[in-house]
Amino acid sequence: MPKSKQKSQKKKKINQKNRKTKKQKKQEVPTLTLKERLAQKRKAAQARQELINTLTPAIGGGLFIGFILFLAAGIKAAVPAVMGIIVMSLAYKYPRQALFAFIFYVPFGGTITYYIGNSPVLQLAKDAFYVPALIAVWQNCRKQKLPIIIPEGIKTPLYILLGLCIITLLFINGGQQFNPPPVGLFKQAPKEFPLGMGILGLKVFLGYVPLITCVYYLIRNKRDFLFISRLQIVLILVACVLGFIQYLLLLTGICEGTRNAEGAALFKASLEARCFFGGSLVYSPSQGMIRLPGTFVAPWQWAWFLISSTFFTFATGFSDPSIIWRIISLASMASVFINAVISGQRIALALVPVCFVMLLVLTGQIANLKKFIPIFGGLALLLGIAIVSNPTVVQERTDSFIARWNASPPYEFIVQQFEENWKSVDSPFGSGLGRATNSARAMGPTKLVETYYPKVLYEVGIFGLLGFIVLVTTLTIICFRQYRLVKNRNFRSYGAAMWVFILFISYNTYYYPLDVDPVAVYYWFAAGILLKLPTIDKMERLQQAQAEGETGKKVMG
Protein backbone atom coordinates (compact mmCIF):
# COMPACT_ATOMS: atom_id res chain seq x y z
CA MET A 1 0.00 0.00 0.00
CA PRO A 2 1.42 3.45 -0.88
CA LYS A 3 2.62 5.65 1.96
CA SER A 4 0.27 8.48 0.98
CA LYS A 5 -2.79 6.21 1.47
CA GLN A 6 -1.46 5.02 4.84
CA LYS A 7 -1.05 8.64 5.98
CA SER A 8 -4.55 9.57 4.81
CA GLN A 9 -6.05 6.60 6.65
CA LYS A 10 -4.19 7.53 9.83
CA LYS A 11 -5.46 11.10 9.57
CA LYS A 12 -9.04 9.84 9.14
CA LYS A 13 -8.71 7.65 12.25
CA ILE A 14 -7.31 10.56 14.28
CA ASN A 15 -10.12 12.86 13.11
CA GLN A 16 -12.71 10.22 13.99
CA LYS A 17 -11.21 9.84 17.48
CA ASN A 18 -11.20 13.62 17.98
CA ARG A 19 -14.85 13.81 16.93
CA LYS A 20 -15.75 11.04 19.35
CA THR A 21 -13.95 12.73 22.25
CA LYS A 22 -15.66 16.05 21.44
CA LYS A 23 -19.06 14.34 21.39
CA GLN A 24 -18.27 12.66 24.70
CA LYS A 25 -17.29 15.99 26.24
CA LYS A 26 -20.50 17.58 24.98
CA GLN A 27 -22.49 14.71 26.41
CA GLU A 28 -20.67 15.01 29.75
CA VAL A 29 -21.63 18.70 30.09
CA PRO A 30 -24.95 18.60 31.97
CA THR A 31 -27.85 20.51 30.43
CA LEU A 32 -29.47 22.91 32.86
CA THR A 33 -33.08 22.41 33.80
CA LEU A 34 -35.64 25.20 33.56
CA LYS A 35 -35.49 25.75 37.33
CA GLU A 36 -31.69 26.04 37.27
CA ARG A 37 -31.76 28.54 34.40
CA LEU A 38 -34.36 30.63 36.20
CA ALA A 39 -32.25 30.51 39.40
CA GLN A 40 -29.24 31.78 37.45
CA LYS A 41 -31.31 34.63 36.01
CA ARG A 42 -32.55 35.54 39.48
CA LYS A 43 -28.97 35.60 40.81
CA ALA A 44 -27.84 37.85 37.94
CA ALA A 45 -30.77 40.20 38.50
CA GLN A 46 -30.06 40.27 42.24
CA ALA A 47 -26.37 41.07 41.60
CA ARG A 48 -27.35 43.94 39.26
CA GLN A 49 -29.79 45.30 41.82
CA GLU A 50 -27.13 45.15 44.57
CA LEU A 51 -24.70 47.05 42.32
CA ILE A 52 -27.34 49.72 41.63
CA ASN A 53 -28.18 49.97 45.35
CA THR A 54 -24.48 50.49 46.12
CA LEU A 55 -23.76 52.97 43.32
CA THR A 56 -26.82 55.21 43.75
CA PRO A 57 -26.05 56.58 47.25
CA ALA A 58 -22.30 56.57 46.51
CA ILE A 59 -22.71 58.74 43.40
CA GLY A 60 -25.21 61.01 45.16
CA GLY A 61 -23.00 61.50 48.23
CA GLY A 62 -19.90 61.88 46.10
CA LEU A 63 -21.46 64.59 43.92
CA PHE A 64 -22.70 66.47 47.01
CA ILE A 65 -19.27 66.47 48.70
CA GLY A 66 -17.58 67.14 45.35
CA PHE A 67 -19.75 70.22 44.80
CA ILE A 68 -18.81 71.60 48.23
CA LEU A 69 -15.12 70.97 47.56
CA PHE A 70 -15.43 72.52 44.11
CA LEU A 71 -16.71 75.74 45.66
CA ALA A 72 -14.02 75.68 48.36
CA ALA A 73 -10.91 74.40 46.53
CA GLY A 74 -11.70 73.98 42.84
CA ILE A 75 -12.04 71.14 40.38
CA LYS A 76 -8.71 69.46 41.32
CA ALA A 77 -10.01 68.71 44.81
CA ALA A 78 -13.58 67.88 43.73
CA VAL A 79 -12.91 65.20 41.11
CA PRO A 80 -10.66 62.96 43.29
CA ALA A 81 -13.17 63.25 46.14
CA VAL A 82 -16.09 62.11 43.96
CA MET A 83 -14.08 59.24 42.46
CA GLY A 84 -12.75 58.27 45.90
CA ILE A 85 -16.21 57.97 47.47
CA ILE A 86 -17.50 55.84 44.57
CA VAL A 87 -14.42 53.58 44.58
CA MET A 88 -14.48 53.15 48.38
CA SER A 89 -18.17 52.23 48.34
CA LEU A 90 -17.60 49.59 45.66
CA ALA A 91 -14.48 48.31 47.43
CA TYR A 92 -16.44 47.78 50.64
CA LYS A 93 -19.22 45.96 48.81
CA TYR A 94 -16.86 43.80 46.73
CA PRO A 95 -13.70 43.24 48.84
CA ARG A 96 -12.24 40.45 46.66
CA GLN A 97 -12.37 42.56 43.51
CA ALA A 98 -11.05 45.54 45.46
CA LEU A 99 -8.00 43.60 46.65
CA PHE A 100 -7.25 42.50 43.09
CA ALA A 101 -7.60 46.13 41.97
CA PHE A 102 -5.25 47.16 44.79
CA ILE A 103 -2.61 44.63 43.64
CA PHE A 104 -3.05 45.80 40.05
CA TYR A 105 -2.77 49.48 41.02
CA VAL A 106 0.50 49.26 42.99
CA PRO A 107 3.00 49.02 40.07
CA PHE A 108 1.19 51.69 38.02
CA GLY A 109 0.24 54.09 40.81
CA GLY A 110 2.92 56.64 39.92
CA THR A 111 1.88 56.75 36.27
CA ILE A 112 -1.83 57.03 37.09
CA THR A 113 -1.15 59.75 39.68
CA TYR A 114 0.54 62.06 37.18
CA TYR A 115 -1.90 61.35 34.38
CA ILE A 116 -4.86 62.35 36.55
CA GLY A 117 -3.04 65.29 38.16
CA ASN A 118 -0.22 65.84 40.62
CA SER A 119 -1.94 65.93 44.00
CA PRO A 120 -0.79 64.63 47.42
CA VAL A 121 -4.23 63.02 47.83
CA LEU A 122 -3.63 60.86 44.75
CA GLN A 123 -0.52 59.40 46.39
CA LEU A 124 -2.94 57.61 48.75
CA ALA A 125 -5.36 56.55 46.00
CA LYS A 126 -4.51 52.85 46.31
CA ASP A 127 -5.80 52.90 49.89
CA ALA A 128 -9.28 53.63 48.52
CA PHE A 129 -9.24 49.97 47.43
CA TYR A 130 -7.36 48.58 50.43
CA VAL A 131 -8.99 50.20 53.49
CA PRO A 132 -12.68 49.47 52.66
CA ALA A 133 -11.76 45.91 51.63
CA LEU A 134 -9.89 45.48 54.92
CA ILE A 135 -12.94 46.66 56.88
CA ALA A 136 -15.16 44.23 54.97
CA VAL A 137 -12.73 41.33 55.61
CA TRP A 138 -12.58 42.23 59.32
CA GLN A 139 -16.38 42.24 59.57
CA ASN A 140 -16.67 38.90 57.74
CA CYS A 141 -14.07 37.38 60.08
CA ARG A 142 -16.07 38.50 63.11
CA LYS A 143 -19.32 37.10 61.69
CA GLN A 144 -17.78 33.74 60.82
CA LYS A 145 -15.57 33.67 63.96
CA LEU A 146 -12.37 33.38 61.90
CA PRO A 147 -8.97 34.62 63.14
CA ILE A 148 -8.39 38.26 62.23
CA ILE A 149 -4.64 38.34 62.90
CA ILE A 150 -2.74 35.82 60.76
CA PRO A 151 -0.50 34.16 61.73
CA GLU A 152 -1.63 34.05 65.34
CA GLY A 153 2.02 33.77 66.44
CA ILE A 154 2.61 37.46 65.64
CA LYS A 155 -0.31 38.61 67.81
CA THR A 156 1.71 39.27 70.98
CA PRO A 157 4.67 41.11 69.37
CA LEU A 158 2.25 43.07 67.17
CA TYR A 159 0.16 44.21 70.15
CA ILE A 160 3.31 45.17 72.08
CA LEU A 161 4.65 47.18 69.13
CA LEU A 162 1.26 48.81 68.58
CA GLY A 163 1.13 49.75 72.27
CA LEU A 164 4.59 51.35 72.05
CA CYS A 165 3.52 53.27 68.94
CA ILE A 166 0.40 54.56 70.71
CA ILE A 167 2.57 55.77 73.62
CA THR A 168 4.74 57.65 71.11
CA LEU A 169 1.67 59.06 69.34
CA LEU A 170 -0.03 60.25 72.54
CA PHE A 171 2.91 61.52 74.57
CA ILE A 172 5.49 62.56 71.95
CA ASN A 173 3.30 63.69 69.04
CA GLY A 174 0.60 64.83 71.46
CA GLY A 175 3.14 66.84 73.46
CA GLN A 176 4.40 68.50 70.28
CA GLN A 177 0.79 69.34 69.36
CA PHE A 178 -0.43 70.79 72.66
CA ASN A 179 2.87 71.87 74.23
CA PRO A 180 5.16 72.83 71.33
CA PRO A 181 8.81 73.59 72.12
CA PRO A 182 9.69 77.29 72.51
CA VAL A 183 10.79 79.10 69.37
CA GLY A 184 13.90 81.30 69.44
CA LEU A 185 13.80 85.07 69.36
CA PHE A 186 12.75 86.54 65.97
CA LYS A 187 11.95 83.02 64.70
CA GLN A 188 8.59 81.95 63.39
CA ALA A 189 7.02 78.73 64.66
CA PRO A 190 6.81 76.06 61.94
CA LYS A 191 3.38 75.31 60.53
CA GLU A 192 2.75 71.70 61.46
CA PHE A 193 0.16 69.24 62.71
CA PRO A 194 2.10 66.71 64.84
CA LEU A 195 -0.88 64.47 65.67
CA GLY A 196 -1.85 64.22 62.00
CA MET A 197 1.79 63.49 61.19
CA GLY A 198 1.79 60.75 63.84
CA ILE A 199 -1.38 59.11 62.52
CA LEU A 200 -0.01 59.14 58.97
CA GLY A 201 3.34 57.85 60.24
CA LEU A 202 1.61 54.96 62.06
CA LYS A 203 -0.31 54.11 58.89
CA VAL A 204 2.94 53.96 56.91
CA PHE A 205 4.70 51.98 59.65
CA LEU A 206 2.12 49.26 60.37
CA GLY A 207 -0.81 50.01 58.06
CA TYR A 208 -0.18 47.13 55.66
CA VAL A 209 0.35 44.39 58.27
CA PRO A 210 -3.36 43.38 57.91
CA LEU A 211 -2.69 42.74 54.22
CA ILE A 212 -1.42 39.31 55.35
CA THR A 213 -4.97 38.46 56.51
CA CYS A 214 -6.57 39.94 53.38
CA VAL A 215 -4.38 37.91 51.02
CA TYR A 216 -4.78 34.77 53.15
CA TYR A 217 -8.57 34.87 52.76
CA LEU A 218 -8.38 36.14 49.16
CA ILE A 219 -6.70 32.86 48.10
CA ARG A 220 -9.30 30.11 48.52
CA ASN A 221 -7.76 27.28 46.51
CA LYS A 222 -5.07 26.30 44.01
CA ARG A 223 -6.85 28.11 41.21
CA ASP A 224 -6.80 31.41 43.12
CA PHE A 225 -3.15 30.92 44.02
CA LEU A 226 -2.12 30.33 40.40
CA PHE A 227 -4.20 33.29 39.25
CA ILE A 228 -2.63 35.71 41.72
CA SER A 229 0.94 34.46 41.11
CA ARG A 230 0.48 34.72 37.33
CA LEU A 231 -1.19 38.12 37.63
CA GLN A 232 1.88 39.36 39.45
CA ILE A 233 4.10 38.10 36.61
CA VAL A 234 1.98 39.87 33.98
CA LEU A 235 2.09 43.13 35.96
CA ILE A 236 5.87 42.91 36.29
CA LEU A 237 6.30 42.19 32.58
CA VAL A 238 4.04 45.07 31.53
CA ALA A 239 5.78 47.49 33.91
CA CYS A 240 9.23 46.43 32.64
CA VAL A 241 8.16 46.82 29.00
CA LEU A 242 6.93 50.34 29.78
CA GLY A 243 10.23 51.06 31.55
CA PHE A 244 12.16 49.92 28.48
CA ILE A 245 9.95 52.07 26.20
CA GLN A 246 10.63 55.03 28.51
CA TYR A 247 14.36 54.48 28.06
CA LEU A 248 14.01 54.27 24.24
CA LEU A 249 11.97 57.49 24.15
CA LEU A 250 14.74 59.28 26.04
CA LEU A 251 17.49 57.66 23.99
CA THR A 252 15.93 58.67 20.65
CA GLY A 253 15.21 62.23 21.83
CA ILE A 254 11.41 61.96 21.75
CA CYS A 255 11.57 62.80 25.45
CA GLU A 256 14.07 65.50 26.34
CA GLY A 257 14.77 64.55 29.94
CA THR A 258 17.33 66.81 31.63
CA ARG A 259 19.79 66.83 28.71
CA ASN A 260 19.34 70.59 28.19
CA ALA A 261 19.38 71.51 31.89
CA GLU A 262 22.20 73.57 33.41
CA GLY A 263 24.38 73.29 36.48
CA ALA A 264 23.08 71.20 39.38
CA ALA A 265 19.80 70.53 37.51
CA LEU A 266 21.70 68.06 35.31
CA PHE A 267 22.01 65.74 38.32
CA LYS A 268 18.61 66.19 40.01
CA ALA A 269 15.46 64.21 39.28
CA SER A 270 12.83 66.57 37.91
CA LEU A 271 9.11 66.16 37.37
CA GLU A 272 9.35 68.56 34.43
CA ALA A 273 11.57 65.98 32.69
CA ARG A 274 8.87 63.31 33.03
CA CYS A 275 8.63 60.95 30.04
CA PHE A 276 5.08 59.59 29.57
CA PHE A 277 5.28 57.03 32.41
CA GLY A 278 6.07 57.46 36.10
CA GLY A 279 7.28 60.67 37.67
CA SER A 280 10.60 62.48 38.24
CA LEU A 281 13.67 61.41 36.28
CA VAL A 282 17.21 62.39 35.36
CA TYR A 283 18.53 61.88 31.84
CA SER A 284 21.74 63.81 31.17
CA PRO A 285 23.77 61.69 28.69
CA SER A 286 26.48 64.35 28.46
CA GLN A 287 27.22 63.73 32.16
CA GLY A 288 26.60 59.96 32.04
CA MET A 289 23.72 60.55 34.45
CA ILE A 290 20.46 58.59 34.23
CA ARG A 291 17.88 57.73 36.87
CA LEU A 292 14.61 56.38 35.48
CA PRO A 293 11.38 56.07 37.52
CA GLY A 294 9.79 53.41 35.31
CA THR A 295 6.09 53.41 36.20
CA PHE A 296 6.67 54.78 39.73
CA VAL A 297 6.83 58.26 41.22
CA ALA A 298 10.58 58.26 41.92
CA PRO A 299 13.61 56.41 40.50
CA TRP A 300 14.57 54.59 43.70
CA GLN A 301 11.04 53.17 44.01
CA TRP A 302 11.53 51.69 40.54
CA ALA A 303 14.82 50.17 41.71
CA TRP A 304 13.14 48.40 44.63
CA PHE A 305 10.32 47.25 42.37
CA LEU A 306 12.93 45.55 40.17
CA ILE A 307 14.61 43.99 43.22
CA SER A 308 11.35 42.63 44.64
CA SER A 309 10.25 41.46 41.17
CA THR A 310 13.30 39.17 41.06
CA PHE A 311 11.72 37.07 43.83
CA PHE A 312 8.27 36.84 42.24
CA THR A 313 9.53 36.00 38.75
CA PHE A 314 11.93 33.43 40.20
CA ALA A 315 9.17 31.83 42.29
CA THR A 316 6.75 31.39 39.39
CA GLY A 317 9.50 30.58 36.89
CA PHE A 318 10.64 27.58 38.93
CA SER A 319 7.31 26.40 40.38
CA ASP A 320 4.41 27.01 37.99
CA PRO A 321 2.94 23.70 36.72
CA SER A 322 2.52 25.17 33.22
CA ILE A 323 5.62 25.28 30.98
CA ILE A 324 4.17 28.30 29.16
CA TRP A 325 3.91 30.30 32.38
CA ARG A 326 7.40 29.22 33.42
CA ILE A 327 8.75 30.60 30.15
CA ILE A 328 6.74 33.84 30.56
CA SER A 329 8.07 34.18 34.12
CA LEU A 330 11.67 33.69 33.06
CA ALA A 331 11.17 36.18 30.20
CA SER A 332 9.81 38.59 32.80
CA MET A 333 12.93 37.94 34.89
CA ALA A 334 15.09 38.80 31.86
CA SER A 335 13.18 42.09 31.48
CA VAL A 336 13.90 42.82 35.15
CA PHE A 337 17.64 42.30 34.55
CA ILE A 338 17.58 44.56 31.47
CA ASN A 339 15.78 47.34 33.34
CA ALA A 340 18.21 47.01 36.25
CA VAL A 341 20.99 47.95 33.79
CA ILE A 342 19.28 50.71 31.81
CA SER A 343 17.49 52.37 34.76
CA GLY A 344 20.72 53.82 36.12
CA GLN A 345 19.89 52.65 39.64
CA ARG A 346 23.08 51.35 41.24
CA ILE A 347 21.27 49.42 43.96
CA ALA A 348 19.16 47.56 41.38
CA LEU A 349 22.24 46.77 39.29
CA ALA A 350 23.92 45.32 42.38
CA LEU A 351 21.05 43.52 44.13
CA VAL A 352 19.06 41.99 41.25
CA PRO A 353 21.83 39.48 40.32
CA VAL A 354 22.77 39.01 44.00
CA CYS A 355 19.15 38.18 44.89
CA PHE A 356 18.94 35.75 41.98
CA VAL A 357 22.03 33.86 43.15
CA MET A 358 20.78 33.95 46.75
CA LEU A 359 17.47 32.45 45.62
CA LEU A 360 19.21 29.68 43.68
CA VAL A 361 21.21 28.68 46.75
CA LEU A 362 18.65 29.12 49.56
CA THR A 363 15.71 27.54 47.70
CA GLY A 364 17.78 24.58 46.47
CA GLN A 365 16.90 25.27 42.82
CA ILE A 366 20.56 25.26 41.88
CA ALA A 367 20.24 21.45 41.71
CA ASN A 368 17.46 21.75 39.09
CA LEU A 369 19.27 24.07 36.71
CA LYS A 370 19.71 21.28 34.13
CA LYS A 371 15.97 21.35 33.40
CA PHE A 372 16.13 25.06 32.60
CA ILE A 373 19.34 25.12 30.57
CA PRO A 374 17.54 25.65 27.20
CA ILE A 375 15.42 28.47 28.63
CA PHE A 376 18.33 30.09 30.45
CA GLY A 377 20.41 29.73 27.30
CA GLY A 378 17.86 31.76 25.34
CA LEU A 379 17.59 34.39 28.07
CA ALA A 380 21.37 34.60 28.41
CA LEU A 381 21.60 35.08 24.63
CA LEU A 382 19.11 37.97 24.79
CA LEU A 383 20.98 39.60 27.69
CA GLY A 384 24.29 39.05 25.88
CA ILE A 385 23.00 40.76 22.74
CA ALA A 386 21.69 43.67 24.84
CA ILE A 387 25.07 44.04 26.59
CA VAL A 388 27.13 43.77 23.39
CA SER A 389 24.91 46.28 21.56
CA ASN A 390 25.10 48.77 24.46
CA PRO A 391 28.59 48.35 25.98
CA THR A 392 28.86 52.03 26.95
CA VAL A 393 25.63 51.84 28.97
CA VAL A 394 26.85 48.80 30.90
CA GLN A 395 30.26 50.39 31.45
CA GLU A 396 28.71 53.65 32.70
CA ARG A 397 26.48 51.81 35.18
CA THR A 398 29.34 49.67 36.44
CA ASP A 399 31.68 52.66 36.84
CA SER A 400 28.94 54.61 38.63
CA PHE A 401 28.35 51.73 41.06
CA ILE A 402 32.07 51.32 41.81
CA ALA A 403 32.54 55.07 42.29
CA ARG A 404 29.57 55.24 44.66
CA TRP A 405 30.82 52.25 46.65
CA ASN A 406 34.30 53.74 47.00
CA ALA A 407 32.93 57.16 47.99
CA SER A 408 30.48 55.82 50.59
CA PRO A 409 30.51 52.07 51.34
CA PRO A 410 27.02 50.93 52.43
CA TYR A 411 28.18 49.47 55.76
CA GLU A 412 29.89 52.74 56.74
CA PHE A 413 26.82 54.72 55.68
CA ILE A 414 24.50 52.53 57.80
CA VAL A 415 26.75 52.81 60.88
CA GLN A 416 26.93 56.58 60.44
CA GLN A 417 23.12 56.82 60.24
CA PHE A 418 22.74 54.74 63.43
CA GLU A 419 25.22 56.92 65.33
CA GLU A 420 23.65 60.17 64.15
CA ASN A 421 20.07 59.19 65.00
CA TRP A 422 21.02 57.58 68.32
CA LYS A 423 22.41 60.95 69.38
CA SER A 424 19.57 63.06 67.98
CA VAL A 425 16.51 61.04 69.11
CA ASP A 426 14.52 62.94 71.74
CA SER A 427 13.53 60.10 74.11
CA PRO A 428 13.47 56.29 74.51
CA PHE A 429 10.03 56.47 72.84
CA GLY A 430 11.38 58.40 69.87
CA SER A 431 10.97 61.87 68.41
CA GLY A 432 7.45 61.28 67.10
CA LEU A 433 5.76 59.06 64.54
CA GLY A 434 6.06 60.47 61.03
CA ARG A 435 9.00 62.73 61.92
CA ALA A 436 11.24 60.90 59.42
CA THR A 437 8.53 59.76 56.99
CA ASN A 438 8.59 61.44 53.59
CA SER A 439 4.87 61.04 52.94
CA ALA A 440 4.11 62.92 56.20
CA ARG A 441 5.98 66.07 55.18
CA ALA A 442 2.68 67.75 54.22
CA MET A 443 1.90 67.79 57.97
CA GLY A 444 5.13 69.53 58.94
CA PRO A 445 8.92 69.46 58.62
CA THR A 446 10.46 65.96 58.52
CA LYS A 447 14.00 64.69 58.86
CA LEU A 448 15.65 62.81 56.01
CA VAL A 449 16.93 59.46 57.31
CA GLU A 450 18.15 57.30 54.41
CA THR A 451 18.31 53.94 56.21
CA TYR A 452 15.32 52.08 57.60
CA TYR A 453 16.21 50.93 61.12
CA PRO A 454 17.83 54.27 62.08
CA LYS A 455 14.61 55.87 60.80
CA VAL A 456 12.53 53.60 63.06
CA LEU A 457 14.89 54.40 65.95
CA TYR A 458 14.41 58.14 65.39
CA GLU A 459 10.60 57.93 65.21
CA VAL A 460 9.65 55.41 67.93
CA GLY A 461 12.86 55.13 69.94
CA ILE A 462 14.87 52.11 71.06
CA PHE A 463 11.81 50.31 72.48
CA GLY A 464 9.88 50.66 69.24
CA LEU A 465 12.90 49.54 67.22
CA LEU A 466 13.34 46.39 69.35
CA GLY A 467 9.58 45.74 69.13
CA PHE A 468 9.66 45.90 65.33
CA ILE A 469 12.69 43.59 65.12
CA VAL A 470 10.88 41.07 67.34
CA LEU A 471 7.78 41.30 65.09
CA VAL A 472 9.60 40.69 61.79
CA THR A 473 11.79 37.98 63.35
CA THR A 474 8.68 36.15 64.62
CA LEU A 475 7.06 36.46 61.18
CA THR A 476 10.21 35.18 59.44
CA ILE A 477 10.45 32.12 61.73
CA ILE A 478 6.74 31.29 61.35
CA CYS A 479 6.93 31.64 57.55
CA PHE A 480 9.94 29.31 57.46
CA ARG A 481 8.11 26.67 59.49
CA GLN A 482 4.97 26.98 57.37
CA TYR A 483 6.66 26.58 54.00
CA ARG A 484 8.55 23.54 55.33
CA LEU A 485 5.18 21.88 56.02
CA VAL A 486 4.28 21.94 52.31
CA LYS A 487 4.67 18.58 50.55
CA ASN A 488 3.85 19.57 46.97
CA ARG A 489 7.12 20.32 45.19
CA ASN A 490 5.81 23.31 43.21
CA PHE A 491 4.09 24.94 46.20
CA ARG A 492 7.17 24.33 48.33
CA SER A 493 9.43 25.96 45.74
CA TYR A 494 7.19 29.04 45.56
CA GLY A 495 7.01 29.26 49.35
CA ALA A 496 10.79 29.03 49.63
CA ALA A 497 11.24 32.01 47.28
CA MET A 498 8.70 34.06 49.24
CA TRP A 499 10.45 33.17 52.51
CA VAL A 500 13.81 34.34 51.13
CA PHE A 501 12.14 37.62 50.15
CA ILE A 502 10.70 38.04 53.66
CA LEU A 503 14.08 37.19 55.22
CA PHE A 504 15.90 39.66 52.97
CA ILE A 505 13.53 42.58 53.54
CA SER A 506 13.11 41.92 57.30
CA TYR A 507 16.77 42.66 58.02
CA ASN A 508 17.59 45.02 55.17
CA THR A 509 18.22 48.51 56.47
CA TYR A 510 19.81 50.13 53.42
CA TYR A 511 17.42 52.89 52.36
CA TYR A 512 13.80 52.48 53.50
CA PRO A 513 11.89 50.16 51.11
CA LEU A 514 9.45 49.08 53.85
CA ASP A 515 8.28 52.68 54.08
CA VAL A 516 7.00 53.19 50.52
CA ASP A 517 5.62 51.38 47.49
CA PRO A 518 6.04 48.74 46.32
CA VAL A 519 7.96 46.84 49.04
CA ALA A 520 5.72 48.26 51.80
CA VAL A 521 2.93 46.28 50.11
CA TYR A 522 4.81 43.31 48.65
CA TYR A 523 6.44 42.29 51.94
CA TRP A 524 3.11 41.60 53.69
CA PHE A 525 1.56 40.38 50.42
CA ALA A 526 4.26 37.69 50.08
CA ALA A 527 3.73 36.61 53.70
CA GLY A 528 0.00 36.17 53.09
CA ILE A 529 0.60 33.96 50.05
CA LEU A 530 3.21 31.84 51.82
CA LEU A 531 1.05 31.27 54.91
CA LYS A 532 -1.83 30.01 52.74
CA LEU A 533 0.29 27.42 50.89
CA PRO A 534 0.10 24.67 53.57
CA THR A 535 -3.73 24.89 53.52
CA ILE A 536 -3.84 24.69 49.72
CA ASP A 537 -1.41 21.78 49.81
CA LYS A 538 -3.66 19.87 52.25
CA MET A 539 -6.74 20.57 50.10
CA GLU A 540 -4.99 19.28 46.96
CA ARG A 541 -3.76 16.11 48.69
CA LEU A 542 -7.25 15.46 50.10
CA GLN A 543 -8.84 15.87 46.66
CA GLN A 544 -6.23 13.58 45.15
CA ALA A 545 -6.88 10.92 47.81
CA GLN A 546 -10.64 11.15 47.24
CA ALA A 547 -10.16 10.83 43.46
CA GLU A 548 -7.92 7.79 43.92
CA GLY A 549 -10.48 6.26 46.30
CA GLU A 550 -13.32 6.71 43.78
CA THR A 551 -11.27 5.17 40.94
CA GLY A 552 -10.41 2.24 43.25
CA LYS A 553 -14.11 1.68 43.97
CA LYS A 554 -14.91 1.68 40.24
CA VAL A 555 -12.17 -0.88 39.54
CA MET A 556 -13.34 -3.13 42.39
CA GLY A 557 -16.93 -2.78 41.25
Side-chain angles (χ1 to χ4, degrees), residues 164-179:
L164 292 168
C165 289
I166 290 171
I167 290 171
T168 301
L169 179 65
L170 293 177
F171 293 99
I172 307 300
N173 292 85
Q176 295 166 358
Q177 180 75 51
F178 300 109
N179 187 24

Side-chain angles (χ1 to χ4, degrees), residues 123-124 126-127 200-208 300-301 304 433-441 446-456 459 468 505 508 510-524:
Q123 303 288 348
L124 303 173
K126 66 181 184 301
D127 295 323
L200 188 55
L202 181 60
K203 177 260 174 189
V204 171
F205 189 35
L206 296 176
Y208 292 114
W300 74 272
Q301 286 179 297
W304 280 100
L433 279 160
R435 280 294 176 188
T437 303
N438 280 341
S439 57
R441 61 184 180 273
T446 58
K447 181 181 179 181
L448 177 63
V449 183
E450 296 182 80
T451 49
Y452 187 65
Y453 280 124
K455 177 255 178 190
V456 175
E459 286 199 354
F468 185 76
I505 296 298
N508 170 72
Y510 194 65
Y511 284 106
Y512 37 96
L514 263 177
D515 241 20
V516 290
D517 297 340
V519 178
V521 172
Y522 288 163
Y523 177 79
W524 312 105

Side-chain angles (χ1 to χ4, degrees), residues 210-226:
L211 187 60
I212 299 175
T213 304
C214 293
V215 174
Y216 184 87
Y217 290 120
L218 177 67
I219 302 172
R220 299 167 298 188
N221 48 40
K222 179 183 176 181
R223 185 179 177 183
D224 287 345
F225 162 69
L226 290 176

